[in-house]
Every structure is written in C-alpha cells, then in structure tokens.
C-alpha cells in the first residue's frame, strides 16, 4: 500500500528531489575517481627517456612532486564540496517538509481534533455502543432459553453493566446538546466522557463474548474452534442444539402472525386511521424477517450436517437475529392492540376525572381571583379540549391513545388536586410511546442516528422515574428523529441477481436484514451477522469472514418496505 505522504506529493517536487540526489551522487563519484587517479598511475613508467644531465633531472623531479600534490588537493576539495552541497540540500528539503502547508505534506505536529470532529466521534461511538448492547441482548435471549438464568448470569451481568455505561453516555450527550456545560473546555471533556463511557460498555461485552461462544459450543472465536468449553457441546452438536431453540421460536412467531394481522384489521375498522398508523407495515416487515430467517436456519442446519461449523454459526446467528426482530414486530402489533383496548376503556373515566379537576380549580379560583368577569385561560382551554374529545368519542371512530394524551395534557398544569385516573392515563400513553419508539429503533438500527437513540434513552429513564409527561414527549421526539433518519438512509442496495457469499445466493429479505442491523454490512457478502459482544468482537467476526472492517452504509433514497409474502415453514 502506498503511503499517504508519497501518494499526495506533487510529481514536480519528486522530480526535483531525484535530480538533486543524482547530482550529489555524480559529484561524489567524480571526486572519488579523481582521488584514485594518483593511486592508479603510481606504478606506471615514464615514456620519456631520462636526461643524462643531473641538473635537468633534478628539475624534472621537482616538477613531478608539484603535479602530484595538485592532483591530490583538487579532488579532495571537489569531494568535500559535493558532500557539503548534498548535506545542504538534505537539510533544506527536511526543513521545507516540516514547515510547508501545501497538500501532500505531513506537518511535524498533527493538528488537534476540532469540536466538530469530536462530536462526530461521539455520535459514532454512541451508535456503535447502542448497537452492541441491542445485538447482545438479542443473542442472550436465545442462550437463556437453552441454558437458563443461572448459567447465563455472567453474561446478563455484563450486559447490565454495558447498559448502565450506555445510559450514562446518553445522559451526557443529551446535556451537551442542550448546551450544558457552556465552557468550551468542559464541553470537550463532556465529549471525551461520552466516548469513554461507550468504550467501557463495549469492553464489558467483549470480555464475556468468547465465554458465551464456548458455552454455546461455538468455540472461543465464534465458530473458529470446534471445541466446546465448560457446559458447551462441541462443534455441530452445539449448533444443532441452538438451532432447535431458534426454530422453535421461529414457529412461535410465524403462528402468531396471522392472528395479529386479523386483530390489526379489526382495529382499523373500529378506530381512526391515526390509531394504527404507528404499526402500519409492521407485519409485512415481520414476514420479511421470517422469510430471511427461513433461508438462514436451513443453511445453518445443512452446514452443521456437513461439519462446516464456522459457516453454520454465521448462518445460525443471522437467523436468530431475524427471528428476534420478527418477534419485536409481531409482538409490537399485539402490544399496540392491547394498549388501544385499554385506552378506549379508560377514556370515559379520564374525561370524568378531568372535569372533576376543572371544577375544583374553578371553586378555588372563584374565592381568590379578582372579579374581572373573565375566566382563567387554562381552565377555558381545558374546557375546549374536553368538549372536542367528548364529541369525537360520541361521533364515530377516534384514536383512544390520542384522546388520553390530549385530556392529560389539557389539565396537567392546573392547580387542582389531580385524580389518580389521570396519572394512570398519562402513564399508559407514555408506555405506548416509549415502546413504539423502542421497537422502531430496534428494527431500523442500521439507519438510526445518535440523536434519536439518546432521546429514547432519556424517555426510558423518565418513564422509569414515573414522569409520564416528559417520557411521552421524549419518546415522540425520538420516533420523529428515527423516522427521519430512515427516510434519509433509504433502501439498502442489494441486487437480486448478485451472489452473496455465505448466504447461499438467496437475497430474500436481505435488504431488511441489513436495514435492521441483523447483518453488519451492505457489501456483496452482506457482512457477518450481529452477535453478543462489543466493537472488538465485531472486528474479529469481520476478519473471520475475510472481508475486513466495513463502515456502515448510508445516503440512499427511497425506503422500501419488506415483502408481504407469508413466511414458509422452517
């Protein structure tokens, strides 16, 4: 590989350097030859006969001594001059290389990272750490199904530690985006804190990745070694047992997809379109993931039967990732169906509670407010919102979750005593918003940026603290950011006629698998599958696949939803 220094050097400058070097070498050779001439001629005989007269002979000898001294001094002076010129040229060239700022040169001291560079590094670190946590959680769920809680506790502990570090990094990033701290030096340190926390999260996962591979019977390097570790089976036996778990879960989600589709159709008839907008297309994406999982699991079993453990592990992990995301999509529709029914049942009680709170506010303000003859602005606004909700409920299809959100927001700033039913309604709305944003990010994680992930982490924290209003607001913002990222990302470019090494040439569901982060690259090989571990584990899997580290793709246009083809059996 050509060095960037030489690759960027202008050709004219290179030619000048070569000319100078050639001149210096030529001068040195001439000087050395001149110095060697007396030695080469010292044994030669004088072709002129010697004079018989002694005086003439003495004069001739003196002349020869003078010529010999000149022959020795002049070459020596020429050699010293050549060496001096070569040294001067070298020093001048070195000094210019250190001080020039033209393209193609490298300064003596590399420039420090700018705030924009540090922000890009922090965003990239946040995305990578969040992806590693999510993929580790997915694989651990399959391992737990096979080995139980007790034997997988070390891996769960590492995952919880990584989640804690990631949550801290997201909190620092959120404060940074809000302008806290204000001092430039402190802001640089905040970015360093984000990067450091994300690195620690990855390190916690990397430290347990090899042990998890051994437990599963994949060897210590994700299938490179066929010897099982403690509690693990060796080679094909370990893959076979893992395949049974994955195929069982595949059949479960494939069987739950048609009922979820029927339930979603019933919701569309009963409620307003906005009530089901957040889960539109989910089941089509689920079928796409199941279709991809079918091919991967079948190929994993074929590879295991032929003793190709390494390939079997890769196909198994790709199938597990797709099955896990199908579960997120189908389970999300089931969850949304249940929450809509719960919200519809709660709307009448929430309306009554809000009216009770308004009445209490009016009684209190009537005793203390000046006699201006004008109602307070907030109670008047709340009256209008409640009247509009009552009209929608009585008039036809409506959105129960949106109705609860409007009711709780209309009365949240009133000074009256808040009925418990309104707190219940607010938490229900927040739970639905957070879960919906979480599911969307999980199945589009290759496209979702750091801002949406940090907002989602903040929403989860607020919901855990019981702050329904902020949790709902943060989750809604996270969903908006994530949807915008997906629109900008577009469709992963995977041609149907392109053979894919390690995927059997079958591209069914491949674009969705790349978009969902099931596969880690958009190259012809589609990259290795995601697995338990941090950045170091991902790099090892890339190298094990023989493709090297591959950056995440982006910048496409036009998002295409998954296939609507029903999933075949395993």
């Amino acid at each position: 590989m050509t060095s960037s220094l030489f690759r960027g050097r202008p050709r004219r400058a290179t030619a000048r350097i070569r000319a100078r070097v050639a001149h210096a070498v030529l001068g040195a050779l001439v000087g050395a030859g001149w110095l060697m001439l007396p030695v080469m001629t010292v044994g030669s005989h004088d072709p002129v006969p010697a004079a018989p007269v002694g005086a003439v002979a003495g004069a001739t000898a003196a002349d020869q001594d003078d010529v010999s001294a000149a022959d020795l001094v002049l070459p020596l002076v020429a050699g010293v001059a050549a060496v001096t010129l070569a040294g001067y040229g070298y020093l001048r060239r070195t000094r210019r290389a250190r001080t020039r700022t033209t393209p193609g040169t490298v300064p003596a001291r590399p420039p420090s990272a700018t705030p924009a560079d540090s922000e890009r590094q922090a965003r990239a670190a946040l995305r990578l750490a969040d992806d590693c946590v999510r993929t580790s959680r997915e694989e651990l769920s399959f391992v737990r199904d096979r080995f139980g809680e007790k034997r997988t506790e070390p891996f769960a502990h590492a995952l919880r530690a990584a989640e804690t570090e990631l949550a801290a990094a997201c909190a620092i990033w959120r404060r940074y985006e809000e302008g806290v701290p204000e001092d430039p030096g402190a802001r640089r340190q905040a970015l360093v804190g984000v990067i450091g926390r994300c690195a620690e999260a990855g390190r916690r996962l990397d430290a347990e990745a090899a042990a998890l591979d051994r437990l599963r019977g994949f060897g210590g390097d994700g299938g490179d070694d066929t010897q099982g570790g403690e509690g693990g089976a060796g080679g094909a036996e370990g893959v076979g047992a893992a395949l049974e778990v994955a195929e069982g879960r595949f059949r479960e989600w494939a069987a739950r997809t048609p009922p979820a589709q029927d339930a979603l159709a019933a919701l569309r008839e009963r409620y307003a379109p906005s009530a089901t907008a957040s889960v539109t297309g989910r089941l089509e994406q689920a079928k796409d993931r199941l279709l991809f999982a079918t091919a991967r699991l079948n190929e994993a079993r074929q590879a295991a039967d032929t003793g190709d453990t390494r390939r079997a592990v890769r196909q198994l992990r790709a199938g597990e990732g797709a099955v896990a995301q199908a579960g997120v999509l189908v389970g999300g529709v089931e969850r949304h169906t249940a929450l809509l029914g719960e919200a519809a049942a709660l709307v009448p009680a929430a309306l009554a509670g809000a009216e009770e709170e308004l009445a209490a506010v009016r009684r209190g303000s009537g005793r203390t407010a000046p006699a201006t003859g004008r109602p307070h602005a907030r109670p008047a606004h709340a009256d209008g919102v409640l009247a509009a909700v009552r009209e929608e409920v009585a008039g036809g299809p409506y959105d129960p979750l949106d109705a609860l959100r409007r009711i709780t927001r209309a009365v949240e700033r009133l000074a009256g005593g808040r009925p418990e039913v309104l707190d219940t309604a607010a938490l229900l709305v927040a739970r639905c918003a957070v879960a919906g944003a979480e599911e969307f990010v999980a199945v589009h994680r290759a496209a979702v940026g750091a801002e949406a992930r940090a907002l989602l982490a903040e929403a989860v924290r607020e919901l855990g603290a019981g702050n329904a209003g902020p949790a709902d607001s943060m989750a809604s913002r996270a969903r908006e950011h994530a949807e915008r990222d997906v629109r900008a990302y577009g469709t992963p470019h995977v041609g149907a006629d392109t053979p894919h090494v390690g995927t059997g040439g079958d591209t069914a569901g491949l674009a969705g698998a790349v978009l969902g982060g099931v596969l880690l690259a958009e190259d012809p090989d589609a990259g290795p599958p995601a697995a338990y571990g941090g950045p170091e584990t991902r790099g090892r899997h890339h190298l094990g696949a023989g493709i090297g580290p591959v950056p995440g793709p982006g910048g496409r246009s036009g998002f295409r939803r998954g296939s609507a083809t029903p999933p075949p059996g395993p």
Side-chain angles (χ1 to χ4, degrees):
M1 183 178 292
T2 306
S3 169
S4 60
L5 175 60
F6 294 102
R7 186 170 58 247
R9 187 188 300 278
R11 295 185 178 179
R12 187 176 179 183
T14 304
R16 288 179 179 176
I17 292 173
R18 291 176 178 172
R20 290 174 181 171
V21 172
H23 290 164
V25 172
L26 180 61
L29 292 174
V30 171
W34 205 340
L35 286 172
M36 292 297 295
L37 279 175
V39 178
M40 296 170 62
T41 60
V42 69
S44 63
H45 298 283
D46 192 349
V48 180
V53 183
V56 176
T60 304
D63 292 339
Q64 288 177 352
D65 291 339
D66 293 337
V67 172
S68 298
D71 288 342
L72 291 174
V73 171
L74 290 178
L76 182 62
V77 171
V80 170
V83 171
T84 303
L85 289 175
Y88 172 76
Y90 173 79
L91 292 176
R92 185 182 179 188
R93 186 166 61 253
T94 303
R95 187 181 298 111
R96 290 182 64 188
R98 290 179 178 177
T99 57
R100 284 175 60 184
T101 58
T102 55
T105 62
V106 178
R109 182 175 301 174
S112 58
T114 64
D117 293 335
S118 298
E119 285 187 11
R120 281 193 293 270
Q121 293 175 7
R123 285 191 181 94
L126 208 71
R127 286 188 61 182
L128 179 58
D130 188 61
D131 279 349
C132 290
V133 166
R134 291 177 182 277
T135 55
S136 298
R137 189 185 299 133
E138 287 177 357
E139 182 173 2
L140 184 58
S141 68
F142 289 91
V143 182
R144 188 183 293 114
D145 284 352
R146 181 184 172 194
F147 293 101
E149 297 283 347
K150 185 176 180 180
R151 300 181 67 181
T152 56
E153 176 54 31
F155 313 111
H157 177 76
L159 178 59
R160 289 192 296 270
E163 289 171 342
T164 301
E165 296 291 343
L166 177 60
C170 289
I172 297 172
W173 177 257
R174 284 289 305 135
R175 290 194 296 270
Y176 179 88
E177 284 190 318
E178 293 170 353
V180 179
E182 297 180 357
D183 178 69
R187 288 180 68 78
R188 285 194 297 271
Q189 286 301 115
L191 294 176
V192 171
V194 171
I195 296 171
R197 293 279 191 171
C198 292
E200 179 63 16
R203 189 193 67 79
R204 294 294 189 104
L205 296 171
D206 282 328
E208 298 293 338
L212 184 135
D213 287 344
R214 289 191 295 270
L215 177 66
R216 302 194 75 184
F218 299 166
D221 196 21
D224 291 342
D225 180 11
T226 59
Q227 298 301 319
E230 179 183 355
E237 183 181 350
V239 175
L243 273 169
E244 292 180 4
V245 176
E247 289 170 349
R249 194 180 294 187
F250 174 94
R251 287 188 289 268
E252 175 188 355
W253 290 117
R256 289 166 65 171
T257 300
Q261 193 164 10
D262 294 339
L264 187 58
L267 292 179
R268 288 172 177 155
E269 294 179 359
R270 183 176 180 183
Y271 299 116
S274 61
T276 57
S278 62
V279 293
T280 297
R282 291 281 186 90
L283 295 178
E284 286 72 19
Q285 294 179 59
K287 294 173 184 178
D288 189 63
R289 299 294 196 278
L290 291 173
L291 193 64
F292 177 82
T294 300
R296 302 291 80 77
L297 295 178
N298 286 339
E299 288 188 22
R301 186 164 293 282
Q302 293 171 7
D305 291 341
T306 59
D308 190 351
T309 305
R310 185 173 181 177
R311 179 167 171 264
V313 169
R314 290 192 65 193
Q315 299 303 321
L316 168 67
R317 279 183 162 144
E320 286 178 341
V323 170
Q325 291 201 1
V328 170
L329 292 162
V330 176
V333 173
E334 295 175 343
R335 172 199 53 79
H336 192 75
T337 300
L339 286 177
L340 273 178
E342 190 176 346
L346 195 58
V347 166
L351 280 171
E355 291 168 350
E356 177 184 344
E357 184 170 355
L358 275 175
V361 169
R362 288 195 183 93
R363 287 194 299 269
S365 62
R367 293 191 297 268
T368 58
T372 58
R374 292 178 300 174
H376 289 279
R378 286 178 182 171
H381 170 73
D383 270 335
V385 171
L386 297 181
V389 171
R390 281 193 296 266
E391 182 177 355
E392 290 177 5
V393 172
Y398 73 106
D399 184 347
L401 286 167
D402 179 66
L404 287 181
R405 179 180 286 111
R406 290 157 61 194
I407 292 170
T408 55
R409 288 183 178 179
V411 298
E412 65 182 352
R413 295 186 179 181
L414 298 179
R418 187 179 180 90
E420 183 178 354
V421 65
L422 294 180
D423 291 333
T424 302
L427 284 173
L428 176 64
V429 171
R431 278 169 37 217
C432 185
V434 171
E438 172 67 33
E439 292 158 3
F440 187 88
V441 172
V443 298
H444 299 90
R445 57 177 176 244
V448 178
E451 287 77 7
R453 298 169 192 251
L455 284 167
L456 179 56
E458 182 71 11
V460 172
R461 189 188 67 80
E462 293 286 359
L463 183 61
N467 301 323
D472 180 33
S473 176
M474 290 287 182
S476 298
R477 290 175 58 192
R479 178 70 179 262
E480 292 172 0
H481 276 273
E483 289 178 347
R484 184 183 62 194
D485 291 339
V486 171
R487 287 193 296 270
Y489 180 89
T491 304
H493 180 69
V494 181
D497 56 347
T498 303
H500 293 264
V501 179
T503 61
D506 187 356
T507 62
L510 187 59
V514 173
L515 179 61
V518 175
L519 300 177
L520 298 181
E522 198 177 338
D523 59 357
D525 186 30
Y532 185 102
E536 182 179 337
T537 304
R538 288 193 168 200
R540 188 173 70 248
H541 288 171
H542 270 293
L543 294 175
I547 59 176
V550 180
R556 306 293 197 270
S557 61
F559 174 65
R560 175 176 59 84
R561 296 194 181 277
S563 170
T565 306

PDB file of all heavy atoms in Angstrom, residues 426-432 434-435 457-468 470-472:
ATOM      1  N   ALA A 426     -51.955   8.988  31.852  1.00  0.00           N
ATOM      2  CA  ALA A 426     -50.703   9.561  31.361  1.00  0.00           C
ATOM      3  C   ALA A 426     -49.614   8.491  31.264  1.00  0.00           C
ATOM      4  O   ALA A 426     -48.847   8.451  30.294  1.00  0.00           O
ATOM      5  CB  ALA A 426     -50.254  10.692  32.278  1.00  0.00           C
ATOM      6  N   LEU A 427     -49.533   7.605  32.243  1.00  0.00           N
ATOM      7  CA  LEU A 427     -48.535   6.534  32.190  1.00  0.00           C
ATOM      8  C   LEU A 427     -48.813   5.551  31.051  1.00  0.00           C
ATOM      9  O   LEU A 427     -47.887   5.042  30.414  1.00  0.00           O
ATOM     10  CB  LEU A 427     -48.504   5.793  33.533  1.00  0.00           C
ATOM     11  CG  LEU A 427     -47.792   6.516  34.672  1.00  0.00           C
ATOM     12  CD1 LEU A 427     -47.980   5.760  35.984  1.00  0.00           C
ATOM     13  CD2 LEU A 427     -46.304   6.683  34.365  1.00  0.00           C
ATOM     14  N   LEU A 428     -50.090   5.284  30.795  1.00  0.00           N
ATOM     15  CA  LEU A 428     -50.437   4.399  29.691  1.00  0.00           C
ATOM     16  C   LEU A 428     -49.981   4.984  28.362  1.00  0.00           C
ATOM     17  O   LEU A 428     -49.391   4.284  27.517  1.00  0.00           O
ATOM     18  CB  LEU A 428     -51.944   4.157  29.685  1.00  0.00           C
ATOM     19  CG  LEU A 428     -52.493   3.315  28.520  1.00  0.00           C
ATOM     20  CD1 LEU A 428     -51.941   1.899  28.586  1.00  0.00           C
ATOM     21  CD2 LEU A 428     -54.017   3.302  28.549  1.00  0.00           C
ATOM     22  N   VAL A 429     -50.241   6.263  28.168  1.00  0.00           N
ATOM     23  CA  VAL A 429     -49.820   6.920  26.927  1.00  0.00           C
ATOM     24  C   VAL A 429     -48.299   6.912  26.803  1.00  0.00           C
ATOM     25  O   VAL A 429     -47.744   6.645  25.722  1.00  0.00           O
ATOM     26  CB  VAL A 429     -50.367   8.357  26.896  1.00  0.00           C
ATOM     27  CG1 VAL A 429     -49.756   9.134  25.730  1.00  0.00           C
ATOM     28  CG2 VAL A 429     -51.885   8.354  26.792  1.00  0.00           C
ATOM     29  N   ALA A 430     -47.603   7.196  27.902  1.00  0.00           N
ATOM     30  CA  ALA A 430     -46.144   7.223  27.864  1.00  0.00           C
ATOM     31  C   ALA A 430     -45.573   5.835  27.581  1.00  0.00           C
ATOM     32  O   ALA A 430     -44.619   5.692  26.809  1.00  0.00           O
ATOM     33  CB  ALA A 430     -45.595   7.759  29.188  1.00  0.00           C
ATOM     34  N   ARG A 431     -46.128   4.804  28.181  1.00  0.00           N
ATOM     35  CA  ARG A 431     -45.671   3.440  27.930  1.00  0.00           C
ATOM     36  C   ARG A 431     -45.808   3.080  26.456  1.00  0.00           C
ATOM     37  O   ARG A 431     -44.919   2.470  25.859  1.00  0.00           O
ATOM     38  CB  ARG A 431     -46.461   2.445  28.779  1.00  0.00           C
ATOM     39  CG  ARG A 431     -45.940   2.310  30.205  1.00  0.00           C
ATOM     40  CD  ARG A 431     -46.909   1.522  31.074  1.00  0.00           C
ATOM     41  NE  ARG A 431     -47.556   0.428  30.352  1.00  0.00           N
ATOM     42  CZ  ARG A 431     -48.815   0.054  30.529  1.00  0.00           C
ATOM     43  NH1 ARG A 431     -49.580   0.709  31.409  1.00  0.00           N
ATOM     44  NH2 ARG A 431     -49.318  -0.960  29.866  1.00  0.00           N
ATOM     45  N   CYS A 432     -46.916   3.457  25.865  1.00  0.00           N
ATOM     46  CA  CYS A 432     -47.138   3.147  24.447  1.00  0.00           C
ATOM     47  C   CYS A 432     -46.142   3.900  23.569  1.00  0.00           C
ATOM     48  O   CYS A 432     -45.587   3.336  22.624  1.00  0.00           O
ATOM     49  CB  CYS A 432     -48.566   3.518  24.064  1.00  0.00           C
ATOM     50  SG  CYS A 432     -49.014   3.069  22.380  1.00  0.00           S
ATOM     51  N   VAL A 434     -43.109   5.111  24.384  1.00  0.00           N
ATOM     52  CA  VAL A 434     -41.745   4.621  24.579  1.00  0.00           C
ATOM     53  C   VAL A 434     -41.569   3.259  23.899  1.00  0.00           C
ATOM     54  O   VAL A 434     -40.562   3.007  23.217  1.00  0.00           O
ATOM     55  CB  VAL A 434     -41.410   4.534  26.078  1.00  0.00           C
ATOM     56  CG1 VAL A 434     -40.089   3.811  26.303  1.00  0.00           C
ATOM     57  CG2 VAL A 434     -41.348   5.935  26.689  1.00  0.00           C
ATOM     58  N   ALA A 435     -42.538   2.365  24.070  1.00  0.00           N
ATOM     59  CA  ALA A 435     -42.434   1.044  23.455  1.00  0.00           C
ATOM     60  C   ALA A 435     -42.429   1.139  21.935  1.00  0.00           C
ATOM     61  O   ALA A 435     -41.672   0.439  21.247  1.00  0.00           O
ATOM     62  CB  ALA A 435     -43.583   0.153  23.923  1.00  0.00           C
ATOM     63  N   ALA A 457     -33.256   6.923  25.124  1.00  0.00           N
ATOM     64  CA  ALA A 457     -32.696   6.573  26.431  1.00  0.00           C
ATOM     65  C   ALA A 457     -33.221   7.509  27.517  1.00  0.00           C
ATOM     66  O   ALA A 457     -33.515   7.074  28.644  1.00  0.00           O
ATOM     67  CB  ALA A 457     -31.174   6.620  26.375  1.00  0.00           C
ATOM     68  N   GLU A 458     -33.349   8.781  27.198  1.00  0.00           N
ATOM     69  CA  GLU A 458     -33.898   9.733  28.168  1.00  0.00           C
ATOM     70  C   GLU A 458     -35.367   9.441  28.444  1.00  0.00           C
ATOM     71  O   GLU A 458     -35.826   9.551  29.591  1.00  0.00           O
ATOM     72  CB  GLU A 458     -33.742  11.159  27.612  1.00  0.00           C
ATOM     73  CG  GLU A 458     -34.222  12.262  28.536  1.00  0.00           C
ATOM     74  CD  GLU A 458     -33.315  12.466  29.736  1.00  0.00           C
ATOM     75  OE1 GLU A 458     -32.212  11.902  29.752  1.00  0.00           O
ATOM     76  OE2 GLU A 458     -33.728  13.199  30.660  1.00  0.00           O
ATOM     77  N   ALA A 459     -36.111   9.054  27.423  1.00  0.00           N
ATOM     78  CA  ALA A 459     -37.523   8.710  27.623  1.00  0.00           C
ATOM     79  C   ALA A 459     -37.665   7.491  28.527  1.00  0.00           C
ATOM     80  O   ALA A 459     -38.537   7.455  29.410  1.00  0.00           O
ATOM     81  CB  ALA A 459     -38.189   8.443  26.275  1.00  0.00           C
ATOM     82  N   VAL A 460     -36.818   6.501  28.330  1.00  0.00           N
ATOM     83  CA  VAL A 460     -36.850   5.311  29.185  1.00  0.00           C
ATOM     84  C   VAL A 460     -36.548   5.682  30.632  1.00  0.00           C
ATOM     85  O   VAL A 460     -37.179   5.187  31.568  1.00  0.00           O
ATOM     86  CB  VAL A 460     -35.849   4.259  28.653  1.00  0.00           C
ATOM     87  CG1 VAL A 460     -35.712   3.102  29.636  1.00  0.00           C
ATOM     88  CG2 VAL A 460     -36.297   3.745  27.289  1.00  0.00           C
ATOM     89  N   ARG A 461     -35.570   6.569  30.821  1.00  0.00           N
ATOM     90  CA  ARG A 461     -35.218   6.991  32.182  1.00  0.00           C
ATOM     91  C   ARG A 461     -36.376   7.738  32.840  1.00  0.00           C
ATOM     92  O   ARG A 461     -36.697   7.515  34.013  1.00  0.00           O
ATOM     93  CB  ARG A 461     -33.977   7.879  32.138  1.00  0.00           C
ATOM     94  CG  ARG A 461     -33.394   8.198  33.510  1.00  0.00           C
ATOM     95  CD  ARG A 461     -32.294   9.231  33.412  1.00  0.00           C
ATOM     96  NE  ARG A 461     -32.809  10.528  33.007  1.00  0.00           N
ATOM     97  CZ  ARG A 461     -33.392  11.369  33.849  1.00  0.00           C
ATOM     98  NH1 ARG A 461     -33.544  11.057  35.134  1.00  0.00           N
ATOM     99  NH2 ARG A 461     -33.836  12.526  33.411  1.00  0.00           N
ATOM    100  N   GLU A 462     -37.016   8.636  32.104  1.00  0.00           N
ATOM    101  CA  GLU A 462     -38.144   9.395  32.657  1.00  0.00           C
ATOM    102  C   GLU A 462     -39.314   8.467  32.980  1.00  0.00           C
ATOM    103  O   GLU A 462     -39.977   8.639  34.017  1.00  0.00           O
ATOM    104  CB  GLU A 462     -38.586  10.470  31.662  1.00  0.00           C
ATOM    105  CG  GLU A 462     -37.569  11.581  31.427  1.00  0.00           C
ATOM    106  CD  GLU A 462     -37.488  12.545  32.597  1.00  0.00           C
ATOM    107  OE1 GLU A 462     -38.233  12.370  33.578  1.00  0.00           O
ATOM    108  OE2 GLU A 462     -36.664  13.470  32.535  1.00  0.00           O
ATOM    109  N   LEU A 463     -39.572   7.494  32.126  1.00  0.00           N
ATOM    110  CA  LEU A 463     -40.661   6.558  32.390  1.00  0.00           C
ATOM    111  C   LEU A 463     -40.369   5.735  33.630  1.00  0.00           C
ATOM    112  O   LEU A 463     -41.270   5.479  34.452  1.00  0.00           O
ATOM    113  CB  LEU A 463     -40.875   5.654  31.182  1.00  0.00           C
ATOM    114  CG  LEU A 463     -42.033   4.665  31.266  1.00  0.00           C
ATOM    115  CD1 LEU A 463     -43.366   5.397  31.436  1.00  0.00           C
ATOM    116  CD2 LEU A 463     -42.069   3.767  30.036  1.00  0.00           C
ATOM    117  N   GLY A 464     -39.121   5.308  33.800  1.00  0.00           N
ATOM    118  CA  GLY A 464     -38.758   4.553  34.989  1.00  0.00           C
ATOM    119  C   GLY A 464     -38.912   5.366  36.254  1.00  0.00           C
ATOM    120  O   GLY A 464     -39.193   4.805  37.324  1.00  0.00           O
ATOM    121  N   ALA A 465     -38.733   6.689  36.150  1.00  0.00           N
ATOM    122  CA  ALA A 465     -38.906   7.565  37.309  1.00  0.00           C
ATOM    123  C   ALA A 465     -40.357   7.955  37.528  1.00  0.00           C
ATOM    124  O   ALA A 465     -40.660   8.691  38.486  1.00  0.00           O
ATOM    125  CB  ALA A 465     -38.049   8.816  37.139  1.00  0.00           C
ATOM    126  N   GLY A 466     -41.267   7.499  36.672  1.00  0.00           N
ATOM    127  CA  GLY A 466     -42.681   7.824  36.836  1.00  0.00           C
ATOM    128  C   GLY A 466     -43.089   9.164  36.268  1.00  0.00           C
ATOM    129  O   GLY A 466     -44.198   9.636  36.544  1.00  0.00           O
ATOM    130  N   ASN A 467     -42.238   9.786  35.469  1.00  0.00           N
ATOM    131  CA  ASN A 467     -42.551  11.087  34.866  1.00  0.00           C
ATOM    132  C   ASN A 467     -43.176  10.858  33.488  1.00  0.00           C
ATOM    133  O   ASN A 467     -42.474  10.817  32.464  1.00  0.00           O
ATOM    134  CB  ASN A 467     -41.285  11.937  34.757  1.00  0.00           C
ATOM    135  CG  ASN A 467     -40.641  12.171  36.098  1.00  0.00           C
ATOM    136  OD1 ASN A 467     -41.318  12.342  37.111  1.00  0.00           O
ATOM    137  ND2 ASN A 467     -39.318  12.185  36.136  1.00  0.00           N
ATOM    138  N   ALA A 468     -44.481  10.708  33.478  1.00  0.00           N
ATOM    139  CA  ALA A 468     -45.158  10.307  32.249  1.00  0.00           C
ATOM    140  C   ALA A 468     -45.080  11.372  31.162  1.00  0.00           C
ATOM    141  O   ALA A 468     -44.841  11.053  29.994  1.00  0.00           O
ATOM    142  CB  ALA A 468     -46.615   9.972  32.555  1.00  0.00           C
ATOM    143  N   PRO A 470     -42.847  13.992  30.508  1.00  0.00           N
ATOM    144  CA  PRO A 470     -41.558  14.062  29.806  1.00  0.00           C
ATOM    145  C   PRO A 470     -41.228  12.798  29.025  1.00  0.00           C
ATOM    146  O   PRO A 470     -40.648  12.870  27.945  1.00  0.00           O
ATOM    147  CB  PRO A 470     -40.559  14.281  30.953  1.00  0.00           C
ATOM    148  CG  PRO A 470     -41.352  14.908  32.039  1.00  0.00           C
ATOM    149  CD  PRO A 470     -42.711  14.308  31.936  1.00  0.00           C
ATOM    150  N   ALA A 471     -41.599  11.627  29.561  1.00  0.00           N
ATOM    151  CA  ALA A 471     -41.317  10.378  28.851  1.00  0.00           C
ATOM    152  C   ALA A 471     -42.058  10.330  27.519  1.00  0.00           C
ATOM    153  O   ALA A 471     -41.492   9.937  26.486  1.00  0.00           O
ATOM    154  CB  ALA A 471     -41.709   9.192  29.714  1.00  0.00           C
ATOM    155  N   ASP A 472     -43.318  10.725  27.525  1.00  0.00           N
ATOM    156  CA  ASP A 472     -44.107  10.738  26.296  1.00  0.00           C
ATOM    157  C   ASP A 472     -43.522  11.706  25.283  1.00  0.00           C
ATOM    158  O   ASP A 472     -43.380  11.391  24.094  1.00  0.00           O
ATOM    159  CB  ASP A 472     -45.546  11.106  26.628  1.00  0.00           C
ATOM    160  CG  ASP A 472     -46.449  11.150  25.403  1.00  0.00           C
ATOM    161  OD1 ASP A 472     -46.210  10.360  24.467  1.00  0.00           O
ATOM    162  OD2 ASP A 472     -47.381  11.974  25.371  1.00  0.00           O
TER     163      ASP A 472
END
